């Protein structure tokens, strides 16, 4: 057969197809190589390291920064000297001169600003610091000072299960710990130090040894019982995750922080999970109905410690480091299981780091209760003011309707905030001092992790402060180490400016102090 002039024949056609395939593959490989070099696609030619994996969150892990402590062999001679000597102290004239362009910012038109020397307490700058203003979340500084008066430095909170009045009744006693891990406790954690699964293991073991396989579970909520939300709070605060419900029992995995919404009834959430855990351990559980507890006399869980009437505020009271497994016992009130929280001072530090409104209210309420005060939000706020006054600080005109700062009816002075900070840093109030360690660090942690950048970076890593934000009311109060190594404390309260503008102006205020060396 002869071929058509237009037919190249099988060998030529196969070669053509093969060449086309090779060219296509080469084109694809060259294109991918270009994308690879441009870091638009992964590969051996990529010039930029791949991004790190997305962060994960594990309930119950340590949330406070861990910093290795210096030892005598790596530190300067003891006793340690002050941050800076008296010769390095700034002057009021120097601070005023440095802050002059800052206080002229439009956002600070309606503001109260105070600066003190952190070592002497001397006022270095005061612009309307005696005016009563909405403190927002800087209220937590007052609450930390008050809670430190009611709890010993090493005080912890315990959650107990004991036998009830009936032979088949067991009682879960709420003891103020709202940071219980739903599983095993972590002895190194603040949120999650105590574990509900550990409590379930203890109780189930005692019941099984006694030959008891069926129980009725009741909850004792008489300790520091009070309302879950304040009447002066916006109705949207709890449903939107701005705060959780205030209760003396709760799970660390259900904290209302970062906009995460917590349960409307934290006590029921703990009770129901505890019931399910017992059932998985072979115990049949019936839930007793709940009622409003009658609270007549302030009492505290037995293992928690409070300062004695004769002890100084800095004297530690003994508390168990771990809860021993209880021996099998019988009779009403006998203990079947016990778990112990992280120290209150560490919980306070966590509350300041995360600006945790519910946790602050929970600690302040039980502190008021232990001291004989009331347990409504207004009662707790009034108790906080009384305890600040007991520290020798003038509280004339100060009003608190809560302990967290969510109430717009709160009124505090900037000069009062700086007085509390000076007291906290003098080392004589152990719980308050530890709480101040939890203040967010500029540019690094908590509510300051994205602030003090750019032109304000002089204060990054050097400023520790409590933020405060409500619509039309912004505040910042804390400390900063200036260029001469001197500790300064400050408070700024701003009204009538947008949140973005107010924050930027307050950051400039602190950054100016950091770079000042104002002598």
């Amino acid at each position: 057969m002869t071929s058509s002039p237009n037919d190249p024949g099988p060998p030529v056609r196969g070669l053509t197809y093969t060449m086309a395939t090779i060219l296509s593959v080469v084109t694809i490989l060259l294109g991918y190589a270009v994308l690879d070099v441009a870091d638009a696609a992964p590969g051996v030619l990529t010039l930029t390291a791949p991004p790190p994996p997305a962060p994960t969150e594990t309930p119950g892990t340590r949330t406070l920064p861990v910093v290795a402590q210096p030892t005598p062999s790596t530190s300067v001679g003891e006793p340690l000297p002050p941050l800076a000597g008296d010769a390095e102290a700034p002057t009021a004239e120097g601070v005023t001169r440095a802050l002059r362009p800052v206080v002229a910012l439009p956002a600070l038109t309606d503001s109260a600003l105070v600066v003190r020397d952190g070592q002497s307490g001397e006022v270095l700058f005061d612009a309307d610091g005696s005016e009563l203003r909405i403190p927002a979340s800087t209220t937590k500084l007052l609450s930390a000072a008050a809670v430190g008066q009611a709890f010993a430095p090493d005080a912890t909170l315990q959650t107990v299960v004991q036998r009830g009045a009936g032979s088949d009744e067991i009682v879960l006693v709420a003891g103020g710990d709202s940071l219980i891990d739903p599983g095993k406790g972590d002895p190194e954690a603040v949120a999650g130090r105590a574990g509900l699964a550990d409590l379930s293991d203890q109780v189930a073991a005692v019941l099984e040894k006694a030959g008891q396989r069926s129980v009725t579970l009741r909850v004792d909520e008489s300790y520091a019982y009070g309302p879950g939300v304040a009447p002066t709070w916006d109705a949207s605060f709890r449903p939107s995750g701005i705060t959780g419900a205030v209760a003396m029992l709760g799970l660390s995995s259900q904290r209302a922080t970062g906009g995460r919404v917590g349960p409307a009834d934290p006590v029921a959430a703990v009770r129901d999970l505890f019931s399910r855990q017992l059932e998985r351990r072979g115990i049949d559980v019936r839930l007793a109905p709940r009622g409003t507890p009658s609270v007549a006399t302030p009492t505290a869980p037995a293992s928690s410690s409070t300062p004695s009437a004769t002890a100084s505020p800095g004297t530690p009271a003994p508390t168990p480091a771990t809860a021993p497994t209880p021996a099998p016992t019988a009779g009403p009130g006998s203990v079947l299981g016990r778990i112990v929280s992280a120290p209150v001072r560490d919980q306070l530090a966590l509350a300041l780091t995360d600006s945790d409104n519910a946790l602050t209210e929970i600690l302040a309420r039980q502190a008021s209760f232990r001291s004989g005060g009331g347990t409504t939000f207004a009662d707790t706020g009034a108790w906080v003011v009384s305890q600040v006054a007991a520290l020798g600080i003038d509280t004339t005109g100060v009003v608190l309707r809560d302990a967290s700062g969510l109430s717009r009816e709160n009124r505090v002075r900037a000069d009062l905030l700086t007085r509390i900070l000076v007291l906290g840093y003098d080392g004589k109030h152990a719980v308050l001092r530890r709480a101040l360690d939890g203040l967010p660090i500029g540019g690094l942690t908590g509510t300051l992790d994205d602030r003090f950048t750019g032109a304000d970076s002089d204060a990054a890593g050097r400023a520790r402060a409590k933020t405060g934000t409500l619509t039309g009311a912004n505040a910042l109060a804390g400390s900063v180490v200036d260029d001469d190594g001197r500790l300064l404390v400050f408070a700024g309260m701003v009204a009538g400016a947008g949140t973005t503008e107010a924050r930027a102006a307050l950051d400039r205020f602190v950054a100016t102090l950091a770079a000042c060396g104002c002598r």
Side-chain angles (χ1 to χ4, degrees):
M1 177 184 294
T2 58
S3 299
S4 166
N6 298 322
D7 184 4
V12 175
R13 182 167 52 240
L15 178 60
T16 300
Y17 290 159
T18 301
M19 292 298 295
T21 301
I22 293 172
L23 287 172
S24 297
V25 171
V26 169
T27 300
I28 291 171
L29 291 175
L30 286 174
Y32 190 88
V34 171
L35 293 173
D36 188 2
V37 171
D39 299 339
V44 296
L45 301 178
T46 298
L47 301 179
T48 302
T56 59
E57 181 174 313
T58 304
T61 57
R62 180 183 292 275
T63 53
L64 297 177
V66 178
V67 179
Q69 296 301 305
T71 64
S73 62
T74 60
S75 302
V76 297
E78 297 180 345
L80 294 176
L83 285 171
D86 290 339
E88 305 298 333
T91 64
E93 294 78 8
V95 173
T96 300
R97 182 172 57 251
L99 290 178
R100 190 171 292 122
V102 179
V103 298
L105 293 172
L108 298 182
T109 299
D110 187 3
S111 64
L113 304 167
V114 176
V115 180
R116 290 180 186 266
D117 181 85
Q119 293 171 220
S120 68
E122 178 187 355
V123 176
L124 301 174
F125 182 84
D126 188 326
D128 298 323
S130 61
E131 290 185 357
L132 291 166
R133 291 175 174 266
I134 299 174
S137 201
T138 58
T139 301
K140 293 179 176 66
L141 294 173
L142 282 74
S143 297
V147 171
Q149 298 297 99
F151 284 96
D154 294 327
T156 57
L157 307 171
Q158 69 168 331
T159 305
V160 173
V161 175
Q162 60 189 32
R163 289 195 177 275
S167 59
D168 69 336
E169 184 180 73
I170 63 173
V171 182
L172 174 62
V173 183
D177 188 1
S178 65
L179 302 176
I180 300 172
D181 192 280
K184 297 288 186 181
D186 180 353
E188 299 300 319
V190 176
R193 176 75 59 91
L196 194 64
D198 298 326
L199 185 62
S200 300
D201 286 340
Q202 294 177 31
V203 174
V206 174
L207 292 175
E208 288 175 5
K209 190 162 187 177
Q212 191 169 0
R213 292 285 183 175
S214 178
V215 297
T216 298
L217 173 62
R218 183 170 65 83
V219 180
D220 181 350
E221 302 175 63
S222 59
Y223 173 64
Y225 182 80
V229 294
T232 58
W233 291 353
D234 189 284
S236 67
F237 283 173
R238 196 206 64 77
S240 63
I242 291 175
T243 183
V246 177
M248 295 301 117
L249 197 61
L251 297 172
S252 62
S253 58
Q254 296 180 338
R255 288 175 64 205
T257 56
R260 180 175 56 186
V261 180
D265 189 345
V267 174
V270 177
R271 177 203 62 183
D272 294 348
L273 178 57
F274 180 63
S275 173
R276 293 194 298 271
Q277 289 179 347
L278 287 181
E279 289 180 336
R280 286 197 292 268
R281 289 160 175 77
I283 307 297
D284 292 328
V285 180
R286 173 182 173 274
L287 298 180
R290 290 167 67 191
T292 301
S294 58
V295 182
T297 305
T299 57
S303 73
S304 300
S305 60
T306 57
S308 68
T310 57
S312 64
T315 302
T319 52
T322 58
T325 301
T329 55
S334 57
V335 175
L336 304 177
R338 176 189 293 112
I339 51 177
V340 180
S341 75
V344 169
R345 64 170 184 261
D346 292 340
Q347 295 193 42
L348 266 178
L350 178 62
L352 292 182
T353 298
D354 293 346
S355 199
D356 190 323
N357 295 299
L359 180 56
T360 303
E361 296 285 356
I362 289 164
L363 296 174
R365 176 179 292 178
Q366 55 189 301
S368 173
F369 180 76
R370 287 164 173 259
S371 303
T375 55
T376 67
F377 287 90
D379 286 343
T380 300
W383 175 82
V384 167
V385 175
S386 73
Q387 295 303 297
V388 171
L391 290 170
I393 298 176
D394 180 14
T395 58
T396 302
V398 174
V399 175
L400 294 184
R401 302 299 185 194
D402 66 13
S404 60
L406 290 179
S407 175
R408 300 187 68 86
E409 296 182 9
N410 292 347
R411 294 293 183 273
V412 173
R413 301 188 311 272
D415 62 2
L416 181 150
L417 293 174
T418 59
R419 284 288 308 279
I420 288 175
L421 289 163
V422 170
L423 280 179
Y425 285 118
D426 72 4
K428 296 178 182 177
H429 302 81
V431 177
L432 176 58
R433 180 66 187 86
R434 179 66 184 96
L436 294 184
D437 287 343
L439 287 175
I441 303 172
L444 294 175
T445 64
T447 53
L448 291 182
D449 63 352
D450 59 349
R451 293 174 66 170
F452 298 111
T453 59
D456 298 323
S457 61
D458 285 324
R462 289 201 271 168
R464 287 179 175 266
K466 183 69 203 73
T467 56
T469 306
L470 290 173
T471 303
N474 290 270
L476 190 66
S479 66
V480 66
V481 178
D482 72 7
D483 277 349
D484 286 331
R486 191 76 175 187
L487 180 71
L488 306 178
V489 301
F490 60 84
M493 306 171 77
V494 180
T499 296
T500 300
E501 294 76 15
R503 286 181 175 179
L506 288 170
D507 289 357
R508 180 96 296 270
F509 171 69
V510 178
T512 300
L513 293 175
C516 181
C518 305
R519 287 179 285 158

